[in-house]
Amino acid sequence: MGVYSAIDNRAAKTLSAVAQEFEAGIPIRTCAEGKVMFGGEKLGVQRLTASYKVISKWMGRVYVYTWQFFLVDVSFPSNALITLKYSGKIGGRKSARFVSKSADVKHIIEKLNQDKKIKEICERIDFETIHIKYIEEKQSWCVEMRPNYGDFIWILLPPVFYSRRPNKKEVESTIQLIGQLSKYLGNASV
């Protein structure tokens, strides 16, 4: 047993508890090896998972809650990356927008940025990141989202454990966002 095994076990329990908040809207299929697999078919996605990205610090660890899902798209022309950016004042009204350096995704970015529901959700939840990547060799889109809920933080001195479960509105909004993103990425070539 390693130094962090007890902490990792506690983080795994927290991951499971956070994931259970979504079970009413997205059924949980499996929960093992630090990953929760959901049935995302109703939302139009494949391999919908929740897991932690572990960041080791000098006096602790941060387990960053991460959503990931895939969408098959055999006709998109090349690798591409779309990211979510925020602009505006700290503590004031912020504006969310999707950006990319790839010209192939211009029409997708326009659709995402014009969708009021997507923008409203992104402005309300405050995601650390949303990365939307097209992987040509896998002929699919990979979406990774890191919201501001669900993280598990452990600090050695003084001994502190902290996590925040999503509230009901964040649960509903996250499920809506996954569905909206699948709608645009599922027809990305059109």
Side-chain angles (χ1 to χ4, degrees):
M1 284 182 62
V3 174
Y4 294 111
S5 61
I7 305 306
D8 289 340
N9 287 338
R10 197 169 202 168
K13 288 178 184 175
T14 301
L15 174 68
S16 178
V18 171
Q20 287 175 4
E21 299 288 332
F22 293 87
E23 192 164 29
I26 318 168
I28 293 175
R29 294 269 167 79
T30 61
C31 185
E33 299 175 21
K35 195 176 269 191
V36 178
M37 180 73 75
F38 292 87
E41 297 81 14
K42 187 169 83 173
L43 298 172
V45 300
Q46 298 172 346
R47 294 187 307 191
L48 176 59
T49 62
S51 62
Y52 279 137
K53 178 184 184 227
V54 181
I55 301 171
S56 292
K57 303 284 188 180
W58 180 65
M59 293 291 280
R61 278 187 161 182
V62 178
Y63 297 76
V64 181
Y65 193 84
T66 304
W67 286 102
Q68 186 178 58
F69 60 88
F70 292 85
L71 292 137
V72 174
D73 185 352
V74 296
S75 57
F76 200 75
S78 64
N79 290 332
L81 174 65
I82 300 170
T83 57
L84 176 68
K85 298 286 183 188
Y86 291 101
S87 61
K89 298 178 184 175
I90 295 175
R93 177 120 169 98
K94 62 182 181 232
S95 178
R97 65 187 175 88
F98 290 90
V99 297
S100 179
K101 293 179 180 176
S102 174
D104 291 339
V105 294
K106 185 178 178 183
H107 64 290
I108 299 170
I109 291 173
E110 287 174 2
K111 289 177 183 178
L112 293 173
N113 286 330
Q114 290 172 1
D115 188 307
K116 289 180 183 177
K117 187 181 284 185
I118 288 177
K119 288 187 67 130
E120 179 186 303
I121 292 169
C122 292
E123 290 168 0
R124 184 175 47 242
I125 291 183
D126 187 28
F127 288 89
E128 177 188 327
T129 59
I130 294 181
H131 289 226
I132 303 169
K133 287 191 271 188
Y134 184 75
I135 305 166
E136 188 177 10
E137 63 192 36
K138 294 184 178 182
Q139 295 185 322
S140 64
W141 291 94
C142 173
V143 179
E144 188 173 283
M145 306 185 313
R146 294 188 190 139
N148 70 354
Y149 60 75
D151 295 353
F152 177 77
I153 299 166
W154 168 72
I155 300 171
L156 179 62
L157 292 172
V160 175
F161 297 94
Y162 173 78
S163 67
R164 184 178 80 77
R165 289 187 180 180
N167 61 42
K168 184 178 179 182
K169 189 69 174 167
E170 289 170 324
V171 169
E172 293 168 358
S173 295
T174 300
I175 293 169
Q176 287 176 354
L177 180 60
I178 293 168
Q180 288 293 105
L181 290 175
S182 74
K183 181 173 83 172
Y184 291 119
L185 299 174
N187 300 312
S189 303
V190 180

